[in-house]
Amino acid sequence: MCGINGVLFNGKHEPEAISKVLSKMNMEIIHRGPDQDGFFVKDSNNYAVGFAMRRLSIIDLSTGKQPMFSENGKLCIVFNGEIYNYLVLKEILKSKGAQFHTTSDTEVILRLYENFGTEAFAMLDGMFAFSIYDEEKDKIFIARDYFGEKPLYYTKNDGNIIWGSELKSIITVIGKKPEISKQGLNLYFQLTYIPAPYTIYSNIHKLEANHYLEINCNDQSYNIAEIDQNFKKNVDPNISFEEAKTLTHTLVNESVSSRSISDVPLGTFLSGGVDSSIVSLALSKQINSKIDTFSVGFDKKSFDESDKARTVAKIINSNHHEFIISVEDLKSNIDDILLNFDEPFADSSSLPTYLVAHKTRQHVKVALTGDGGDEVFGGYNKYYMGKLNAKYASIIPRGAHATLKNILNPVLSTKDDKRGKRFKVKKLLNAINYDDEFYYNIISLAYQNSEVAAILKKQAYLNDSLQYFKNKIGKNNNTLTDFRNIDKIISLEGDMLVKVDRTSMLTSLESRAPFLNKEIWNFTSQLPEDYLMKGWNKKYLLKDSFKQYFPDQFLDKSKKGFGVPVGDWLRGYLSKELNSYIETEFLVKQDIFNVSEISEIVEKHLSGKEDNTFKVWTFFCFQKWYKQTYESISLGSLI
């Protein structure tokens, strides 16, 4: 695990100058790899290429140093991530005559590329972002894993191509202040995050999950291609539920096993929910000694679920570490957490995620998580919405729905950030759509498209910022499989995995997600949907496959999620800062928001007239980024 950076410059350049740029980029991501750094610079008549990395040593502590080179020195790689099937791939390569000089997974990727070219990328089971320079072809290949667990940003700037694991490395060397992207801005205010291929900056992009860049070094042109996984339809269409249970049990245990390979201590995040409980259970059964489990609770009881984590810890006999979070714990960390995303990011669960990662890092260097279980096995409440939307739309005419919304929205409004039944009914009511786009309304966690139009000035607003994804995914998305696919492409990559990567790497902790295994995804995507969600029973198959290890109905208990009472905090110790963000002079100078509309939303929340937690927190996080990151960008020459 580490962070990577890279540059491709047009024309001839002094190696020392390139090394200086790479060193500056590396300084921005020391937290991702505090153990080692490494550099590679190659200057030719037509171009100069440079690779850099920061390493967090997990596997092959002594010989896994990067950059790494092929036998003839014509290939070079820097790699961020872990390849979980590297031992299997290593044996395949040995059978073809390959020789190895390290025990690292990095060398396996390099040898795999030597033998199979870009087809090698689909053979990898893992989380990764890597760069390979092929001197003989005068090309650079930059690839990202199937789900997008590891980040990769890139830009073409005055004929030069720059890329890295985090935005801050690019921003510090591009030599000019980037403009705010209208696309990124509008996506953020709808979703609370910005999914690939977009960022908050114009002309700086995220490489999409399961894609790779192929860069021609001689003319700095590039193509983006999807990695062809060539998934096999290997599940019997008539598979019984009992057979599916057996396979689920096997696949999950195998995935946990492959993701527990480490030369350093590891443990698990344990929230007490279905996913983290099953991962912790599986790991405990595969390791002879007690495992370490880590959880957080909240001093606000409506958000606290630490009792469930304690129950699981007792069942598996783990060394359990529990930390209770209060406002005081966040005060000294909130800026570091939010600003480390480098662009606006308003998933408030990033706050406790960071704190549990920080505490966990004091004991272990690697933590397994339950992330991805909801997407892979169908566990979100929002997956009910397909049934509810279809039923509602068949009964209530479109015109009557508009009237109902006007009547019920004020009635369903709450004054406190409790996120109970009234909150959920209101969310559903406003997501109902008669044009086959209701699921996009469901995942619009902050503002609906029409609400974004109201708060942003005309020149800042972009109608239907989700159109790129709608075109990519296609129409008629009404099934559980459709919803899961939308989540994989948008929410998982843009929100969940960003949150986990940035918060854990900020503490130099490696997080691994056993449910994010492409073979498990391929398996569940071929099953009858009612195996995943039976009636209103979410994650039915997963729970039934492991229920024998837990008390009766334990896995059926409702879970609140990693929620944080930010609505209360915005009315409390954050209120002064929030008020500074709606000062008329600042908003007018900013020239992004309609002053009266955004001020009214904030003031209603602050006064307690209306709970606008998600809207106001999204605005707060944007303004914090704008004032403390965007306005403070310092300019300098690239080289």
Side-chain angles (χ1 to χ4, degrees), residues 5-6 25 144 151-158 160-185 187 194-208 213 222 224 341-344 493 502 625 629-630 633-635 638:
N5 290 304
M25 295 177 75
R144 193 173 180 209
L152 198 289
Y153 299 86
Y154 67 96
T155 185
K156 190 169 185 179
N157 185 307
D158 295 330
N160 306 308
I161 298 178
I162 309 166
W163 65 94
S165 293
E166 296 192 12
L167 268 171
K168 57 175 68 72
S169 291
I170 296 174
I171 295 299
T172 197
V173 299
I174 57 175
K176 57 185 178 182
K177 189 169 185 174
E179 295 181 359
I180 291 177
S181 162
K182 185 185 289 190
Q183 179 82 53
L185 177 72
L187 280 168
I194 305 170
Y198 303 104
T199 73
I200 193 59
Y201 299 115
S202 296
N203 199 40
I204 302 180
H205 316 283
K206 297 184 183 86
L207 181 60
E208 291 181 85
L213 278 170
Y222 64 81
I224 302 173
F341 290 101
D342 299 335
E343 60 181 343
E493 185 280 332
R502 299 312 184 282
W625 166 82
T629 297
Y630 190 64
I633 291 176
S634 57
L635 305 179
L638 176 57

Side-chain angles (χ1 to χ4, degrees), residues 34 106-107 129 187 203 212 234 246 284 296 421 537 571 607:
T106 308
E107 188 178 12
L187 280 168
N203 199 40
Y212 69 92
N234 52 6
T246 301
S284 72
V296 295
K421 290 182 180 179
N537 193 346
R571 291 187 180 114
S607 67

Side-chain angles (χ1 to χ4, degrees), residues 315-341:
I315 291 169
I316 66 176
N317 193 29
S318 68
N319 295 316
H320 189 54
H321 310 263
E322 182 181 302
F323 317 105
I324 302 300
I325 295 175
S326 67
V327 173
E328 296 302 317
D329 296 311
L330 271 300
K331 282 183 178 179
S332 59
N333 292 297
I334 191 168
D335 279 13
D336 289 340
I337 298 168
L338 295 180
L339 298 178
N340 185 55
F341 290 101

